[in-house]
Amino acid sequence: MSNKVTVLGSLNVDTILRIPRLPQPGETLKMDDIGVAGGGKGANQAISAARSKSHVTFIGGVGNDVQGEMMLKLLKEDGININNVAKLNEGTGQAFILLQESGENSIVIYGGANQAIKTTVIQNAMNDIKDSDFLVAQFETPLEVTNEAFKLARELNVKTILNPAPATDILDELKKNIDLIIPNETEAELLTGIKVVDEDTCRQAADKLIDQGINNVIITLGKQGAYYKTKDGVCELVPAFKVKAIDTTAAGDTFIGALVSKLDTSFSNLREAIIYASKASSLAVQRLGAIPSIPYKDDVEKQLNSK
């Protein structure tokens, strides 16, 4: 049976600038190539979940512009319900990605319509949230909207997953309504004050987040893998699949969307879901772009089943 997932998040048009390396202050650097693709953490996570066969509803905002039409078309192509995407007077969100030859990237974001949505979008989406197994959000939309969504989800007995990116202080009211938090090592450090470099420091950071009232924690560590810990004390570092990365842009988002598509609402299969999500992410980083790189369920399972 497929999970029903609602994603509250960002919709961005990505402009990808391929460069040998980051320029130094005052330096002019020649670009190797330029491309445009759909993106935004919310869109990436929603499409990842949809391509892993979840039934996905999106809550967010776009502008009344060609970029907005492009993003709505991309969501519809993957069968995502867009009835709760508001068309606003602000411009559609955009991201400018500096992609280095190493595969690492640096990103500058214009929030636009993503930052203009109001809490009314949550009330309008109540029936879709109520019908969901999971509600997923990031921090590329206003905090008060996320807080309202998670409060409603808790009232409706819908499990909540927060990807705290970009990292910022989490409201105490929001913490008590988070069932699973998924930061990377940088975000985990900003949230806990603990520099995350290995399994021991992952455990310390996870303990601190659990002490704050968050039941389950996954800290993604890039090439090292993903560390998880539950409120019951179950914990493990699940190694990543070793591949040659070409573009890491949507790696974390692919992981989260794939994970939520496999996860049971009891969180009893957390390790199995992490392995599936890690494989999906490993496929994404071997391709260029955000949305174009996100794999489909058949591809992921074929790779998992191959020796």
Side-chain angles (χ1 to χ4, degrees):
M1 193 172 80
S2 300
N3 280 344
K4 294 180 179 178
V5 179
T6 293
V7 176
L8 163 64
S10 54
L11 296 161
N12 290 332
V13 173
D14 293 347
T15 300
I16 304 153
L17 313 176
R18 298 188 69 187
I19 54 177
R21 56 175 174 78
L22 292 178
Q24 299 298 313
E27 179 186 13
T28 299
L29 191 66
K30 184 180 177 182
M31 197 188 311
D32 295 327
D33 193 16
I34 185 169
V36 176
K41 296 190 74 61
N44 296 341
Q45 292 172 17
I47 287 174
S48 177
R51 290 183 182 177
S52 280
K53 302 298 187 185
S54 288
H55 299 290
V56 182
T57 290
F58 200 92
I59 303 173
V62 293
N64 279 301
D65 47 31
V66 292
Q67 290 89 352
E69 290 303 321
M70 171 185 167
M71 293 310 302
L72 292 175
K73 183 173 180 286
L74 284 172
L75 294 179
K76 284 194 287 187
E77 283 174 354
D78 275 289
I80 294 169
N81 173 6
I82 60 169
N83 292 340
N84 299 296
V85 180
K87 285 193 173 183
L88 305 169
N89 291 327
E90 298 285 339
T92 298
Q94 296 193 56
F96 299 87
I97 300 165
L98 301 175
L99 175 60
Q100 302 173 66
E101 284 179 355
S102 65
E104 294 298 314
N105 63 65
S106 302
I107 304 174
V108 182
I109 290 176
Y110 162 67
N114 296 314
Q115 289 297 322
I117 62 172
K118 307 295 183 185
T119 55
T120 49
V121 299
I122 303 305
Q123 294 303 320
N124 292 341
M126 182 187 291
N127 288 337
D128 285 311
I129 294 172
K130 184 178 181 180
D131 196 39
S132 298
D133 299 301
F134 293 97
L135 172 67
V136 181
Q138 327 79 37
F139 282 156
E140 289 184 344
T141 50
L143 270 171
E144 63 268 21
V145 178
T146 304
N147 190 47
E148 181 74 14
F150 276 40
K151 186 170 72 173
L152 178 62
R154 180 56 58 88
E155 291 170 1
L156 297 172
N157 200 31
V158 174
K159 298 300 181 183
T160 58
I161 299 176
L162 179 69
N163 172 217
T168 187
D169 289 336
I170 302 177
L171 302 170
D172 288 339
E173 187 179 359
L174 179 58
K175 285 176 187 173
K176 68 183 182 183
N177 291 323
I178 301 170
D179 291 301
L180 170 63
I181 192 167
I182 311 178
N184 64 20
E185 62 267 54
T186 304
E187 292 148 5
E189 179 180 351
L190 287 165
L191 292 172
T192 66
I194 296 165
K195 187 171 180 60
V196 174
V197 293
D198 55 18
E199 189 168 354
D200 186 52
T201 48
C202 275
R203 179 186 54 76
Q204 293 174 40
D207 284 345
K208 196 161 186 179
L209 290 166
I210 290 170
D211 287 345
Q212 292 172 13
I214 299 168
N215 289 338
N216 304 281
V217 178
I218 300 173
I219 300 174
T220 57
L221 299 162
K223 294 176 184 177
Q224 291 186 65
Y227 177 89
Y228 73 94
K229 186 162 190 180
T230 71
K231 64 175 181 178
D232 300 322
V234 178
C235 58
E236 184 182 354
L237 176 61
V238 180
F241 293 93
K242 288 188 171 70
V243 297
K244 180 173 173 54
I246 295 172
D247 181 0
T248 61
T249 303
D253 297 331
T254 298
F255 179 94
I256 290 166
L259 179 103
V260 73
S261 75
K262 280 289 177 185
L263 200 56
D264 189 89
T265 52
S266 67
F267 296 95
S268 59
N269 67 335
L270 200 52
R271 185 179 188 277
E272 178 189 345
I274 288 171
I275 291 170
Y276 176 87
S278 296
K279 176 55 74 174
S281 185
S282 77
L283 295 176
V285 301
Q286 296 178 71
R287 305 166 185 166
L288 284 173
I291 289 172
S293 75
I294 298 170
Y296 291 83
K297 181 180 181 180
D298 289 349
D299 295 333
V300 180
E301 291 185 337
K302 182 180 177 181
Q303 290 286 327
L304 280 172
N305 293 330
S306 66
K307 293 184 180 179

